[in-house]
Amino acid sequence: MSFSTKIKEELYRHVSTARHCQLAELAAILHFCGSIGSLESGNFLQIKAENALVVRKCFTLLQKTFKMSTETQLSQEGQTGAWILRIRDQEQAKKILQGTKFLDSDGNFCHSGGDFPGGLREPVNRMVVKNACCQRAFLRGAFLSAGSMSDPEKGYHLEIVCSNERQAEQICELLSGFEIEGRIVQRKKYFVVYVKEGSGISDFLNVTEAHVALMEFENSRVVRDVRNTVNRRVNCETANIAKTVTAAARQTEDILFLQEKYGFENLPESLRQMAEVRLEHPDAPLKELGAYLDPPVGKSGVNHRLRKLCELADSMRS
């Protein structure tokens, strides 16, 4: 089971106790999955989704908010089945759309002037999401209807796919109210709101009240962060060791060159002693080399003497 499926199953089971929050979540499902079609007998309201959890949650919310039963059927489209919940009674459909503020009291779409295909895709009425609890419910319904999330062990990416830019901007606005940074990218004909920061995804799961998924995500996040920290330290140590070995090899090469072409007897006492100690201990770090000198010298002093030897070798080569 994917992590997205786990989140959606948890969100499906969570039903708000307040009716206004139930309406907000229902509005989100209608906003992303609802449509109005036509029959010979008139228009009908339809909720269509590939995920059965969306239709079942919508059915539950309709029962709780409007005390109505609906017809649910599974229709096959190519190789995939789409769950469809259909309200054929026009008065019931009108009552639902008015309750979720898509229709005004006169039965007209609040944003699209009665245009059925576009009316449900326009930004929802602000009255539906005026309270913080309703905003949480709306985001819960939005993710259940059109959201997905990558496996946290592989990366951090949460997204909600919107059909138009206005829809995406409203989602970003709601996220911003909870201090979650959502960004918009156009993908073919869709506009995708995404969150990539681990802290932002944690906040989103908390806001939508997916607390079990939040704990699992945080556990994966901790393990991943520890693993990354260990890898960085190992890489750093490896780089330092490689750097030390390379420097020691270069120093040994320069000292052997001076021994052959210049002679240790011509070196100042401090440099001669340093050269002999380096040849005796070719793999030792600077601090250890300093302890072999008489009198002992600190790390910076050892580095200074070795640099002088290398500069002398370079000058002789040139």
Side-chain angles (χ1 to χ4, degrees):
M1 182 187 297
S2 69
F3 195 68
S4 281
T5 302
K6 291 181 181 180
I7 297 173
K8 291 186 177 183
E9 286 192 350
E10 185 176 358
L11 297 181
Y12 161 71
R13 292 191 296 268
H14 183 92
V15 180
S16 302
T17 55
R19 186 174 186 272
H20 50 83
C21 293
Q22 295 170 1
L23 287 172
E25 187 169 359
L26 179 60
I29 296 175
L30 291 172
H31 188 45
F32 285 93
C33 300
S35 63
I36 293 180
S38 297
L39 294 172
E40 293 181 0
S41 58
N43 299 307
F44 63 89
L45 177 62
Q46 175 176 282
I47 294 86
K48 179 179 178 181
E50 294 181 2
N51 190 340
L53 296 177
V54 179
V55 175
R56 291 173 182 169
K57 185 63 175 290
C58 186
F59 182 79
T60 299
L61 294 172
L62 285 172
Q63 285 183 318
K64 288 184 174 294
T65 52
F66 296 100
K67 310 295 183 185
M68 62 177 61
S69 60
T70 55
E71 175 191 345
T72 307
Q73 67 185 56
L74 178 67
S75 65
Q76 296 292 330
E77 295 182 353
Q79 300 298 319
T80 63
W83 288 93
I84 297 177
L85 186 153
R86 183 171 293 166
I87 297 96
R88 298 178 182 274
D89 188 302
Q90 293 189 57
E91 287 303 316
Q92 282 188 335
K94 182 178 178 181
K95 185 179 179 181
I96 293 168
L97 294 175
Q98 286 179 329
T100 50
K101 306 299 182 185
F102 286 106
L103 293 182
D104 58 24
S105 58
D106 296 326
N108 297 318
F109 271 87
C110 297
H111 293 282
S112 61
D115 179 16
F116 283 163
L120 297 181
R121 298 295 176 263
E122 294 294 331
V124 298
N125 193 304
R126 291 185 180 275
M127 292 296 295
V128 175
V129 290
K130 66 177 181 177
N131 300 322
C133 58
C134 295
Q135 294 170 11
R136 291 172 180 268
F138 185 87
L139 289 172
R140 181 164 54 247
F143 185 85
L144 183 62
S145 302
S148 64
M149 181 178 167
S150 62
D151 186 337
E153 294 184 0
K154 298 179 180 178
Y156 303 148
H157 184 86
L158 181 148
E159 67 180 36
I160 298 175
V161 180
C162 304
S163 59
N164 60 66
E165 190 171 9
R166 297 181 303 280
Q167 198 177 38
E169 288 172 349
Q170 185 173 46
I171 294 294
C172 281
E173 182 181 347
L174 293 175
L175 291 175
S176 178
F178 294 101
E179 298 184 355
I180 302 172
E181 183 182 3
R183 299 182 180 180
I184 301 174
V185 62
Q186 187 170 4
R187 188 183 299 161
K188 295 184 179 179
K189 64 178 181 178
Y190 298 103
F191 290 82
V192 180
V193 178
Y194 68 93
V195 180
K196 293 191 74 70
E197 294 77 14
S199 59
I201 294 175
S202 290
D203 291 341
F204 181 88
L205 295 176
N206 185 50
V207 164
T208 56
E209 299 177 272
H211 297 133
V212 175
L214 172 61
M215 292 300 297
E216 185 175 343
F217 175 76
E218 285 296 337
N219 288 338
S220 298
R221 189 181 173 194
V222 168
V223 171
R224 188 181 182 197
D225 288 347
V226 169
R227 187 186 299 120
N228 290 340
T229 299
V230 171
N231 288 339
R232 282 195 297 269
R233 289 182 178 178
V234 169
N235 292 338
C236 184
E237 290 295 330
T238 302
N240 287 337
I241 291 172
K243 184 178 178 181
T244 300
V245 170
T246 301
R250 171 69 189 280
Q251 293 160 5
T252 302
E253 180 184 347
D254 288 343
I255 290 170
L256 290 174
F257 175 79
L258 289 174
Q259 186 180 35
E260 179 183 354
K261 301 296 184 181
Y262 190 72
F264 282 174
E265 66 276 5
N266 295 319
L267 292 173
E269 177 61 21
S270 60
L271 296 184
R272 181 191 62 77
Q273 187 183 16
M274 185 73 260
E276 291 174 346
V277 168
R278 171 47 90 188
L279 291 180
E280 292 174 5
H281 307 280
D283 300 326
L286 299 184
K287 187 175 182 180
E288 185 178 334
L289 288 176
Y292 294 134
L293 296 173
D294 186 22
V297 177
K299 183 177 177 179
S300 60
V302 172
N303 185 54
H304 175 74
R305 294 183 186 187
L306 289 172
R307 188 168 65 250
K308 286 291 186 181
L309 290 169
C310 291
E311 289 175 354
L312 178 59
D314 288 340
S315 65
M316 291 191 64
R317 288 191 184 97
S318 60

